[in-house]
Amino acid sequence: ETASLDSYLGVAAAALGNDVEAERYFLRSLYVMDDPYNYETYAMWLVKKARWKEALENYQWAVTFAPSDLDARYGLMQVYRAQLDYDNLAKAAQEALEIAPGDPTATKYAEIASKPPDAVKAAEDRASTDPTPEKYLKLSFLYYHRGRMEDCVRAARQAINLRPDYAEAYNNIAAAYGSMGRRVDAIAA
C-alpha cells in the first residue's frame, strides 16, 4: 500500500533526523489513505515532538478507524496523562478495559486516573525540572483556573522568557490581569 509505505518512509526519515521530510511523508500517508496505522505512526512522531494537540487528534482518528486497536488507545492515554487530563484519561482507560478486560496497561492508566496527583504540583515539577515555554504556559493555565492570578502571570512571563513571541502566554497574562480588574495591564499584555 502506498499510504503505509509513506508512513514507513516517514519513520525512516525521522530516524535519520530529517523532521521536515518525515512530516511530509506522514502527511502524505494520511492524504492517500485513511488507515489507522498512518494516524498512529504520525501521532507517535508528534508525541516525540511534544506536539500534544496534533498527537491527540491523530490518535483519536486512529481509534475512530480501528476501535479495537489497543496501541492507538494506549497512545491516546499517554497523551491524556502527559496533558494532565485525568477525566479523559479515565474515560479512555475504561473504554480500553471494555475492549480488553484486565489489560495491564489500561488498568495502570485507570489507576492513575482514579487518584491523580495534584495537577498544579505535577506541572510545577515538570516546568522546574525541564523548563519549556509550553510547560510554563500549562502551569500558567492551571494557576488561572485555580484563581492564582499572580502565579498565572509569573508562569506566563517565564514562558515568554523562553519564547519572547509566545502569543498564548501574553493571552494568559491579559486574562489574569482582566480577572484582577487591572484593565490597563490586561490591555498592555
Side-chain angles (χ1 to χ4, degrees):
E1 298 176 7
T2 305
S4 293
L5 177 60
D6 286 325
S7 284
Y8 291 126
L9 290 170
V11 170
L16 294 171
N18 189 339
D19 289 339
V20 171
E21 186 175 342
E23 187 158 26
R24 185 172 53 85
Y25 280 122
F26 289 131
L27 291 172
R28 184 172 147 188
S29 75
L30 300 178
Y31 176 76
V32 174
M33 181 189 309
D34 283 332
D35 181 272
Y37 175 79
N38 297 334
Y39 286 100
E40 188 176 334
T41 305
Y42 184 36
M44 289 168 34
W45 180 79
L46 290 165
V47 164
K48 291 177 184 173
K49 302 299 171 194
R51 291 168 55 184
W52 301 109
K53 182 180 178 192
E54 294 165 279
L56 180 63
E57 291 168 358
N58 281 277
Y59 276 129
Q60 288 170 332
W61 278 111
V63 168
T64 298
F65 288 114
S68 62
D69 180 2
L70 288 178
D71 288 333
R73 289 183 180 277
Y74 296 156
L76 197 59
M77 289 183 276
Q78 175 189 14
V79 172
Y80 285 137
R81 182 179 183 193
Q83 293 297 289
L84 308 174
D85 185 348
Y86 294 103
D87 292 335
N88 279 317
L89 175 60
K91 181 181 175 194
Q94 182 57 43
E95 289 171 356
L97 288 169
E98 289 171 9
I99 294 166
D103 178 77
T105 302
T107 300
K108 176 187 86 171
Y109 279 119
E111 289 173 12
I112 291 168
S114 71
K115 44 188 167 182
D118 176 38
V120 171
K121 175 73 172 116
E124 288 170 339
D125 291 345
R126 284 190 176 132
S128 67
T129 58
D130 182 24
T132 66
E134 295 80 12
K135 289 177 184 171
Y136 278 115
L137 182 70
K138 177 74 173 185
L139 181 58
S140 172
F141 178 79
L142 291 171
Y143 284 144
Y144 179 86
H145 285 282
R146 298 290 193 293
R148 296 171 58 181
M149 298 307 158
E150 293 293 338
D151 289 329
C152 171
V153 170
R154 182 182 44 78
R157 290 200 186 285
Q158 288 172 308
I160 291 167
N161 287 338
L162 296 170
R163 184 183 301 155
D165 62 346
Y166 204 8
E168 291 87 348
Y170 284 105
N171 185 63
N172 281 14
I173 292 170
Y177 282 145
S179 292
M180 292 187 284
R182 294 172 56 181
R183 291 184 183 175
V184 172
D185 292 328
I187 290 169

